[in-house]
Amino acid sequence: MRAIVTTPPERNSVQLMEVHKPEPKENEAVLKILKVGIDATDREINDGYSGVPPEGSPYLIIGHEAVGIVDEIGEKVKNVSVGDFVVPTVRRPCVQNCLNCRKGETDMCTTGDYLEHGILKLHGFASDYAVTGAGYLIKVPEEVKDEAVFLEPLSITEKGITQLLKIQERVVWKPEDVLVIGAGPLGLLATMVLRLKGFNVLNVSRNRVESTKAQIVRDVGGEYLDERENPLSTLGKKFDIIVEASGAASAALECCELLKSNGALCFLGLYREIQECDDFGKIFTNMVMGNKVSFGSVSSNKKHFEMGLKDLLEIKKKYPQVIGKLVSRELTPEKSSLAFKSDFEEIKTIINFQK
Ligand code: BGC
Ligand code: ZN
């Protein structure tokens, strides 16, 4: 079968390879893969910054955003049947099986020794067939089999937003105004989820107001500004909730100053670049004097995928065209190396294994 593999930490190693079709152990399912989404993590792996192959394997099959059909199941599998449309979660429990991993909250693993399909010590889903524990599959209705490839990134935003609302149970609060920074898939999906919850959402990113990204924000009733014409420091407004999904350290730093009193800020990016700041003291003092909270959020568990599925169905009903607009291009596995050269204003590249 075909598989998209990398050999980290080698740079630019992505290639299509012929490998053996996997077989299920007693609690596993083999999926026939329909679609796989490529994201910044996949590009980081191909750039040599992260990614670890499974023990004993010279290569790592990438891909952690996927939808497939159950093709074969182990003898103990009860929760899915052959022919079901499913989306797999990404993270698996740490070897120590810590308190959180034991509860199914692998996204909150305390040891750091967790495994991740397509990223860390487990093969991913970018292959004709892929295998995983059947207990980690989310069944999806056939009507969303095309959009379900967005369930993984959607689950990341669901986790961040759920955590934020849970944290805010600390205070009497009536949030209205939301700022989302970044209009990649995470920023756009966060914008959609927060609009479904009825918030006024302003999305700010470095894209033209005529871009598809800006259009998507407006399609779901949000407001959009190009950060290059409207720097964050000039917005002249503060927010109850901020979701930082641009991954830019400068934006992450600046938006701390844009929270209202009692507000909460969720960081979803990986802030790799060095950022100078002349006045951390002022930023921290403002956080203290306004009882503000900021926190980071990574990965997701089954609960967040299930919330994502509910919202995906609702988004599809309310804004029928909008999920489709997130797909900038669909490539065959043979052309998949193109996905690693990110285009200007690209949103999501999908690899279609049925083509
Ligand atoms: C994935 C997460 C994962 C993170 C870090 C993200 O792209 O969506 O599931 O935890 O990368 O590896
Ligand atoms: Zn753990």
Side-chain angles (χ1 to χ4, degrees):
M1 65 166 192
R2 299 168 300 175
I4 302 174
V5 309
T6 55
T7 48
E10 191 191 339
R11 285 183 61 107
N12 220 350
S13 63
V14 69
Q15 57 174 303
L16 194 64
M17 202 179 191
E18 229 6 79
V19 304
H20 289 297
K21 181 181 171 185
E23 275 168 26
K25 298 204 188 87
E26 57 182 15
N27 287 313
E28 290 181 336
V30 170
L31 315 183
K32 181 180 165 70
I33 297 298
L34 299 174
K35 291 179 180 181
V36 171
I38 300 297
D39 78 352
T41 301
D42 300 303
R43 293 191 176 114
E44 283 216 333
I45 295 171
N46 190 46
D47 286 340
Y49 294 117
S50 59
V52 181
E55 238 177 72
S57 169
Y59 59 84
L60 170 72
I61 301 177
I62 58 158
H64 58 277
E65 302 179 357
V67 57
I69 303 177
V70 177
D71 183 68
E72 216 183 315
I73 51 176
E75 61 264 31
K76 288 203 174 149
V77 172
K78 295 271 183 304
N79 63 317
V80 293
S81 318
V82 170
D84 287 347
F85 289 92
V86 290
V87 168
T89 67
V90 179
R91 201 179 268 193
R92 299 294 172 265
C94 62
V95 279
Q96 300 89 330
N97 210 12
C98 75
L99 214 58
N100 289 278
C101 283
R102 226 176 295 160
K103 270 179 47 199
E105 304 200 351
T106 53
D107 56 311
M108 291 302 213
C109 176
T110 51
T111 66
D113 292 330
Y114 52 80
L115 313 171
E116 287 183 332
H117 277 290
I119 303 169
L120 205 58
K121 300 183 192 164
L122 287 177
H123 282 315
F125 308 119
S127 47
D128 285 310
Y129 296 90
V131 69
T132 191
Y136 296 97
L137 295 173
I138 314 297
K139 277 200 244 184
V140 299
E142 188 170 356
E143 61 176 288
V144 288
K145 69 173 175 9
D146 286 313
E147 295 89 351
V149 69
F150 287 101
L151 207 47
E152 196 279 338
L154 192 49
S155 76
I156 301 293
T157 67
E158 297 283 357
K159 177 187 170 180
I161 294 166
T162 308
Q163 291 268 311
L164 187 147
L165 295 176
K166 194 139 191 164
I167 289 167
Q168 289 301 84
E169 286 172 16
R170 73 194 173 110
V171 71
V172 184
W173 198 46
K174 204 173 159 291
E176 287 170 351
D177 297 314
V178 174
L179 172 65
V180 175
I181 307 173
L186 288 186
L188 291 173
L189 291 167
T191 299
M192 293 178 201
V193 170
L194 290 159
R195 282 294 303 139
L196 286 184
K197 295 190 188 300
F199 296 117
N200 307 321
V201 183
L202 171 64
N203 184 300
V204 179
S205 85
R206 296 185 179 183
N207 293 276
R208 295 170 304 123
V209 289
E210 305 84 30
S211 65
T212 307
K213 294 180 178 187
Q215 189 57 54
I216 291 171
V217 172
R218 290 188 294 265
D219 285 348
V220 301
E223 190 192 338
Y224 179 83
L225 290 175
D226 184 337
E227 196 198 333
R228 294 163 301 185
E229 289 154 15
N230 303 274
L232 293 174
S233 58
T234 67
L235 293 180
K237 192 179 165 186
K238 296 208 169 175
F239 303 87
D240 302 291
I241 293 174
I242 301 178
V243 176
E244 203 310 299
S246 75
S250 52
L253 205 56
E254 261 180 77
C255 72
C256 293
E257 303 278 72
L258 297 180
L259 276 179
K260 288 189 200 170
S261 288
N262 298 351
L265 159 56
C266 173
F267 295 115
L268 291 179
L270 295 174
Y271 303 94
R272 304 268 197 220
E273 90 270 31
I274 310 267
Q275 177 64 39
E276 306 244 333
C277 173
D278 351 292
D279 205 350
F280 281 114
K282 179 168 155 257
I283 292 176
F284 289 136
T285 301
N286 282 338
M287 296 292 289
V288 170
M289 293 307 288
N291 290 302
K292 301 171 192 181
V293 159
S294 67
F295 70 101
S297 175
V298 71
S299 192
S300 54
N301 65 49
K302 251 182 119 170
K303 269 189 324 214
H304 308 117
F305 278 73
E306 266 142 21
M307 291 172 195
L309 177 57
K310 209 166 138 264
D311 280 348
L312 187 64
L313 290 163
E314 210 172 320
I315 292 165
K316 198 177 168 182
K317 200 155 89 200
K318 231 168 152 177
Y319 316 107
Q321 313 302 333
V322 95
I323 296 286
K325 280 194 187 173
L326 293 172
V327 181
S328 324
R329 52 182 171 174
E330 247 186 65
L331 300 172
T332 60
E334 285 70 21
K335 289 262 163 71
S336 55
S337 65
L338 293 175
F340 292 82
K341 297 174 192 85
S342 174
D343 264 349
F344 181 61
E345 285 183 5
E346 176 198 348
I347 309 178
K348 176 65 74 186
T349 295
I350 303 284
I351 313 294
N352 189 332
F353 277 86
Q354 298 310 303
K355 282 195 178 154

